[in-house]
Amino acid sequence: MMFTNEKPIFQQMADRLTDEILAGTYGDDDRIPSVREYAVTLEVNTNTAVKAYEQLARESIIYNKRGLGYFVTPGARKQILEERRRAFLQQTLPELFRQMQLLGLELGDIERVWTAELSKK
């Protein structure tokens, strides 16, 4: 995984795991990789992975079964989706619209790019 300087690594790890839940890699009550497994996979310190898992547990995205590992909390996908949509509408879109205005772009320009991107898939 390529990490950026925009967020702490543990936050980027948590984001990746939530992306995997959104994508359906892990469903309700599915076991996720152990902290060590995830740290090795992403080539980070185990303590960094622990921080990511602790954050997700605090947010009730995952839960720990002592001795068995971490599992996806039922309803986590819906919770993540709602939060990401809210953030997109309140943070990302206003900045996108500001940039569009500065660059003289219109919604039709964006729609053409969006349509072309969808046709690739």
Side-chain angles (χ1 to χ4, degrees):
M1 178 174 175
M2 297 290 294
F3 295 105
T4 67
N5 291 328
E6 294 174 16
K7 293 180 183 178
I9 291 174
F10 81 90
Q11 180 63 57
Q12 293 176 65
M13 290 179 68
D15 289 347
R16 177 182 164 147
L17 195 49
T18 57
D19 287 349
E20 291 171 347
I21 293 168
L22 280 178
T25 305
Y26 305 109
D28 288 354
D29 290 315
D30 281 353
R31 185 183 178 281
I32 61 172
S34 72
V35 171
R36 275 197 185 88
E37 291 168 342
Y38 214 54
V40 168
T41 298
L42 299 182
E43 299 176 348
V44 299
N45 185 294
T46 303
N47 292 331
T48 303
V50 167
K51 285 176 74 173
Y53 277 51
E54 286 175 346
Q55 175 184 325
L56 292 173
R58 277 192 309 274
E59 294 172 0
S60 298
I61 302 296
I62 61 175
Y63 64 95
N64 188 10
K65 284 186 181 178
R66 197 171 230 29
L68 296 176
Y70 282 93
F71 296 79
V72 177
T73 302
R77 185 179 187 284
K78 181 180 177 191
Q79 178 184 337
I80 296 164
L81 198 53
E82 288 173 359
E83 174 57 28
R84 294 262 185 106
R85 285 178 175 167
R86 184 198 58 72
F88 182 80
L89 293 171
Q90 293 179 357
Q91 298 166 7
T92 305
L93 271 184
E95 176 58 20
L96 174 67
F97 293 151
R98 187 181 78 76
Q99 290 292 325
M100 287 174 63
Q101 188 174 26
L102 287 172
L103 299 172
L105 293 170
E106 296 181 3
L107 286 177
D109 301 319
I110 303 301
E111 186 176 7
R112 281 189 291 284
V113 174
W114 174 252
T115 302
E117 189 65 30
L118 288 178
S119 69
K120 293 177 186 177
K121 297 178 180 179

